[in-house]
């Protein structure tokens, strides 16, 4: 009997050790199927048009609308799949994706505003043993991106940037005067030669009467005549006085 008990104990020890090994491995297998977090390999922040050689630019981003920047994220290998992807853009804010592909759940496509900057991204995955994941490529919106205007300016300036002025000035910019300034009109009284009431040429008397007047209104001719008379009278009186003196 003691021998049988010993043999039974010797056979039971390996079986118990096997059970312990299996029990210890079970938690490890369960942990391997739980989601875990991985980080993006490419440096941030970045835009869809960042030229650093870390992510090429292509035009194949399924599900990204026209006029938006597209971002294609992918997990290395074939053992891991996305569970949740969280991305943050400026402008645009945070987006959380839980639906992935095509062609499988190791691919994720995200849309952002044209020229938006990716400032943060984290991924929850399951399967495999990843440390980082990749930004496969971007799909910049046509005509967008930092420093790139949506509409390219014309290579050549317009031949007519504005309204062209007329090649020749107007022949009549305004109403022309009827005659040369300063010249008397032939029909005006100033242009007519002075004449009598009957239209005949003026006489010498008329001409004398047209002489300019002094400040007191007396004609110069009348003053001259009065002066001559005074001189004659004075001369006559002086002559008489001398004659009288000689007689005495």
């Amino acid at each position: 009997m003691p021998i049988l008990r010993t043999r039974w104990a010797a056979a039971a020890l390996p079986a118990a050790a096997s059970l312990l090994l299996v029990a210890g491995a079970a938690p490890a297998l369960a942990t391997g199927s739980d989601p875990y977090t991985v980080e993006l390999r490419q440096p941030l922040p970045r835009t869809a048009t960042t030229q650093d050689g870390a992510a090429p630019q292509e035009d194949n981003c399924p599900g990204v609308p026209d006029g938006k920047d597209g971002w294609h994220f992918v997990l290395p290998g074939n053992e891991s799949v996305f569970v949740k992807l969280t991305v943050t853009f400026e402008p645009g804010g945070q987006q959380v994706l839980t639906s992935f592909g095509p062609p499988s759940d190791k691919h994720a496509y995200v849309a952002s505003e044209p020229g938006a900057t990716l400032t943060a991204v984290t991924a929850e995955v399951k399967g495999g043993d990843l440390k980082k994941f990749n930004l496969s490529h971007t799909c910049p919106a046509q005509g967008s991106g930092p420093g790139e205007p949506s509409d390219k300016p014309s290579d050549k300036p317009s031949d007519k940037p504005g309204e062209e002025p007329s090649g020749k000035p107007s022949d009549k910019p305004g109403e022309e005067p009827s005659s040369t300034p300063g010249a008397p009109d032939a029909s005006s009284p100033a242009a007519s030669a002075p004449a009598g009431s009957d239209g005949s040429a003026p006489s010498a008397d008329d001409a004398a009467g047209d002489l300019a007047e002094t400040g007191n209104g007396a004609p110069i001719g009348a003053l001259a005549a009065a002066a001559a008379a005074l001189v004659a009278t004075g001369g006559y009186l002086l002559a008489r006085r001398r004659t009288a003196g000689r007689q005495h």
Side-chain angles (χ1 to χ4, degrees):
M1 294 296 293
I3 295 175
L4 292 176
R5 289 178 180 177
T6 302
R7 290 178 177 177
W8 181 86
L13 286 174
S18 297
L19 290 174
L20 290 174
L21 290 174
V22 171
L29 292 175
T31 303
S33 62
D34 290 341
Y36 59 97
T37 301
V38 293
E39 298 178 352
L40 185 67
R41 188 180 307 277
Q42 284 75 12
L44 298 178
R46 64 188 303 112
T47 67
T49 55
T50 296
Q51 301 286 350
D52 59 359
Q57 299 175 21
E58 301 180 5
D59 57 0
N60 181 26
C61 290
V64 174
D66 293 339
K68 301 286 187 180
D69 284 347
W71 306 73
H72 177 204
F73 300 96
V74 64
L75 299 176
N78 296 313
E79 299 178 359
S80 306
V81 293
F82 283 109
V83 175
K84 183 170 71 171
L85 180 67
T86 304
V87 294
T88 304
F89 292 100
E90 179 61 40
Q94 189 179 88
Q95 300 182 42
V96 178
L97 277 74
T98 56
S99 178
F100 306 98
S104 67
D105 286 354
K106 63 174 287 183
H107 297 269
Y109 295 92
V110 180
S112 71
E113 293 299 322
T117 300
L118 178 64
T119 59
V121 54
T122 56
E124 291 184 18
V125 303
K126 65 180 181 179
D129 186 19
L130 302 178
K131 302 299 181 184
K132 294 181 181 296
F133 68 106
N134 296 317
L135 174 61
S136 170
H137 63 267
T138 62
C139 301
Q142 293 298 320
S144 69
E148 297 181 4
S150 57
D151 294 326
K152 293 184 178 180
S154 174
D155 294 334
K156 295 183 179 180
S158 173
D159 292 335
K160 296 182 179 180
E163 294 183 1
E164 281 192 4
S166 174
K168 295 182 180 181
S170 174
D171 292 335
K172 296 182 179 180
E175 294 185 0
E176 291 186 2
S178 60
S179 60
T180 305
D185 191 283
S187 60
S188 65
S192 302
S197 60
D198 57 355
S200 60
S203 63
D205 295 336
D206 294 333
D210 291 337
L211 293 175
E213 296 181 351
T214 61
N216 60 4
I220 293 177
L223 293 176
L230 290 174
V231 171
T233 303
Y236 173 74
L237 293 176
L238 181 59
R240 287 193 63 181
R241 185 175 181 181
R242 286 180 180 177
T243 301
R246 289 175 183 177
Q247 290 177 357
H248 290 288

